[in-house]
Structure formats: structure tokens, C-alpha cells
Amino acid sequence: MVELAVKTLDGAEAGSVTLSDEIFGLEPRQDILHRMVVWQLARRQAGTHQTLSRADINRTKRKMYKQKGTGGARHGAASAPQFRGGGRAFGPVQRSHASDLPKKVRALALKHALSTKAKEQRIVVLDDATLAEPKTKLLKERLAGLGLSNALVISGAEVDANFGLASRNIGHLDVLPVQGINVYDILRRQTLVLTKAAVDALEARFK
């Protein structure tokens, strides 16, 4: 069991919380994390890029000149790839880049990502992530007081409206509801900031 102090946005102590070893105490496996990140990024690709093949080119399909007697190479339609204005050979086509990854592996990868941050001692637990008013300057001051310059903040079921608005213009800061927590965003940010509600939701999710 890992016990962490709970802090408020102002930096004051607000008790402590115990993190489960089943979620935060695993020995991180790079192979599982790598598979998960590749899977996530592949699913993000739109796959809408496509070029015109010779079948798609709107040019006449008649034979350019007779087969024999010209002393030149034999050619058919001018839409062939070697001609200016012809189709592209072996160009990209619309397709899905997504691959299959078992649900159990995805769940395990999330545990390993959380365990990675716990092992590096880069997890901060907040009492809650709320602001009285949507002021970016105010939030930057609070985060600086906590020593956070590059972080992923995971709130409860919903992101506080004022907190979400204030965080939009702060670089290297991501804010997500607990349902949106994912391996890629955890690993790309230096510090993982969890609210008490997020910790409870994660433990309930994996039990």
C-alpha cells in the first residue's frame, strides 16, 4: 500500500489517501505500455488520405498511338502513372489504421501506467479540482505553488466548469474527467494529479 498526502489547490494538507497495490503497485512493463500507446495513436489516425489511381483519372482511355512501327515504347492510356497528369501508382487509400487489442490488456496497461507514476513518485492527490471563478492567472499561481508545470489532472465524473475554462490556455496541462483517463496522456505528462473522487472511481473500476 502507498499512502499519499492529500492537498488542496492552495497547498494545504487535507488528510491522506491509501493507494491500492493492485492498481498503483505493479512493476511497470514497458512492452505492455508500448502496445497500448501504439494502439491508441493508431486509432486516432483518420485514414482519409487518398490519391487518384489511373482508374480515377478523368482522361481519355483510348490508345495513345499504334502499337508497332513508331520506334518508341508501347503505351496504352495517357492515365498511366508514368505520364504527367496520370494516376499515382500505389498511393494511399482510405482505410482504418485501428488494430485489435484485448480489453484485459488495455486494462492492465492502465494499471501499469498508474504504477509507473507511483514508482517515480509523480502522483499528486488533490482534495478537489474546483475554482470559484474561471481565472487562468489564479490557476497558474495555484499550480506553481504545488510545483506543477507539466501535468495531467484527472477530476471526478465531470470537470469543474471554472477549472476547465481556466486551464485551457495553460501549456503542458491537460484536464480530463476520470472516464477519459488513458495511458498515452498519463505517460506524456510529467506529473499525474488525481482528485480523491478520481482515486475512488479508479479503485471501484478495477474491483
Side-chain angles (χ1 to χ4, degrees):
M1 294 289 184
V2 179
E3 187 167 334
L4 293 177
V6 179
K7 297 182 179 181
T8 65
L9 266 178
D10 295 321
E13 298 288 336
S16 62
V17 65
T18 301
L19 303 181
S20 171
D21 282 343
E22 296 178 0
I23 305 172
F24 297 89
L26 302 178
E27 186 63 32
R29 282 184 53 181
Q30 299 301 317
D31 59 325
I32 292 178
L33 295 175
H34 177 264
R35 287 178 65 187
M36 185 63 186
V37 170
V38 169
W39 180 82
Q40 270 190 256
L41 295 183
R43 283 173 59 87
R44 290 186 183 186
Q45 289 185 256
T48 54
H49 55 331
Q50 181 164 324
T51 56
L52 297 177
S53 69
R54 63 184 298 174
D56 302 317
I57 294 296
N58 187 21
R59 298 186 73 176
T60 176
K61 298 300 189 289
R62 73 183 292 274
K63 190 170 175 64
M64 298 174 65
Y65 46 77
K66 64 180 182 177
Q67 179 82 347
K68 295 181 178 294
T70 65
R74 296 168 291 183
H75 288 299
S79 58
Q82 63 265 41
F83 296 117
R84 183 181 180 88
R88 180 172 174 181
F90 308 114
V93 295
Q94 288 191 28
R95 67 186 181 91
S96 170
H97 293 269
S99 59
D100 291 330
L101 192 64
K103 192 174 182 179
K104 288 185 177 180
V105 176
R106 284 180 265 154
L108 185 61
L110 181 56
K111 291 182 182 179
H112 279 280
L114 295 170
S115 297
T116 298
K117 291 301 180 186
K119 186 176 182 180
E120 295 173 350
Q121 297 182 347
R122 293 193 178 276
I123 293 182
V124 174
V125 181
L126 292 179
D127 186 28
D128 58 29
T130 58
L131 287 176
E133 50 185 348
K135 298 292 185 181
T136 299
K137 181 180 178 181
L138 177 64
L139 180 57
K140 288 184 73 171
E141 291 173 352
R142 300 282 177 84
L143 294 176
L146 291 169
L148 301 174
S149 58
N150 188 316
L152 168 65
V153 179
I154 303 296
S155 66
E158 293 183 0
V159 176
D160 177 66
N162 289 339
F163 192 96
L165 288 171
S167 66
R168 284 184 180 180
N169 204 30
I170 300 178
H172 307 296
L173 179 69
D174 297 326
V175 181
L176 294 172
V178 69
Q179 298 94 326
I181 191 170
N182 64 88
V183 172
Y184 177 68
D185 284 328
I186 291 174
L187 297 179
R188 71 192 287 259
R189 293 297 177 214
Q190 193 174 52
T191 307
L192 176 62
V193 181
L194 300 171
T195 62
K196 287 180 66 177
V199 173
D200 293 339
L202 286 170
E203 292 188 349
R205 174 176 174 176
F206 289 115
K207 284 185 178 179

